[in-house]
Amino acid sequence: MRVLIDESAVRQGVERLAREIISDYEPRPLTILGVMTGSLVLLADLIRQLDLQIRVGVIQASSYRGGTVRGELVIDDRWMPEIEGHEVLLVDDIFDTGHTLDKIVKRIRVRQPKSIRSAVLLTKLGRSEVQIKPDYSVFEIPDEFVVGYGLDYQDEYRHLPHIAVLEAADLA
Ligand code: IMP
Ligand code: MG
């Protein structure tokens, strides 16, 4: 494995993101919706820096059937808070093809939030297959499979404090 974004660069990136969100929303209340499970670490770090009136909830999306190849995308919004009339910010780990965020945005729009925006830590360059783009993106990365800071390979490596590229030899 090769470190792509080290721990201190990740921390500084998340601090920048928090400052941008605060300056855009303050003093309006905000509902943060973390896309599980990949946003787990970003969500925890980000919300503690948001000096705003926030509510926090989660929505589950899973598309990988154990590996690096996509399976069917399943979204579970049963435990999501009420968002009608609220300003919503979706938080996810990475924008790759964009299908996950696109589908989640469509799903939650039906619940009539006052606004919906999205924030991701990473955007993979040249991969998007959808019309939307994340409103906030901290780092752009090349088209490689990455793990750490919430991102997994078969649910492993989520706990790494940095972002690393998984190389062919790591793919068991
Ligand atoms: P998208 O729907 O193609 O944009 O993919 C988004 C989801 O796929 C993310 O929320 C991640 O969970 C997962 N994903 C995409 N690329 C990677 C990667 O390089 N490593 C780990 N997970 C990834
Ligand atoms: Mg994900």
Side-chain angles (χ1 to χ4, degrees):
M1 254 191 266
R2 163 168 58 87
V3 176
L4 184 66
I5 307 170
D6 71 22
E7 183 174 358
S8 95
V10 171
R11 185 176 352 96
Q12 288 168 34
V14 175
E15 286 168 5
R16 267 198 320 273
L17 173 62
R19 283 196 298 270
E20 243 186 285
I21 293 170
I22 291 169
S23 87
D24 289 353
Y25 285 92
E26 175 149 55
R28 283 138 47 210
L30 179 60
T31 299
I32 307 275
L33 273 188
V35 181
M36 289 293 110
T37 308
S39 76
L40 186 67
V41 182
L42 172 61
L43 184 67
D45 283 348
L46 179 65
I47 59 177
R48 286 178 292 171
Q49 293 176 46
L50 293 179
D51 189 12
L52 291 172
Q53 186 188 334
I54 61 169
R55 299 189 307 156
V56 179
V58 297
I59 183 165
Q60 175 84 46
S62 41
S63 58
Y64 286 97
R65 288 286 162 270
T68 60
V69 178
R70 310 176 51 87
E72 190 205 347
L73 176 58
V74 179
I75 292 170
D76 185 343
D77 60 1
R78 284 177 295 173
W79 292 284
M80 203 178 89
E82 174 60 54
I83 55 162
E84 188 177 336
H86 290 268
E87 301 214 63
V88 173
L89 180 66
L90 286 166
V91 173
D92 204 357
D93 49 5
I94 186 168
F95 187 89
D96 181 19
T97 65
H99 287 294
T100 304
L101 271 186
D102 190 52
K103 192 164 172 182
I104 293 175
V105 166
K106 285 175 180 146
R107 175 78 69 90
I108 71 177
R109 198 169 270 147
V110 176
R111 300 186 181 216
Q112 301 184 287
K114 186 172 170 193
S115 69
I116 314 177
R117 282 183 173 181
S118 56
V120 294
L121 185 72
L122 309 175
T123 297
K124 253 189 222 180
L125 287 171
R127 291 272 301 162
S128 178
E129 295 175 1
V130 299
Q131 295 298 317
I132 63 158
K133 274 193 349 191
D135 298 281
Y136 304 89
S137 172
V138 183
F139 299 104
E140 294 189 326
I141 63 164
D143 182 11
E144 294 184 284
F145 197 81
V146 289
V147 294
Y149 205 73
L151 291 131
D152 73 302
Y153 171 65
Q154 299 187 344
D155 284 305
E156 281 189 67
Y157 311 117
R158 292 195 199 275
H159 63 292
L160 299 179
H162 53 262
I163 301 289
V165 174
L166 210 60
E167 293 168 299
D170 305 314
L171 300 169

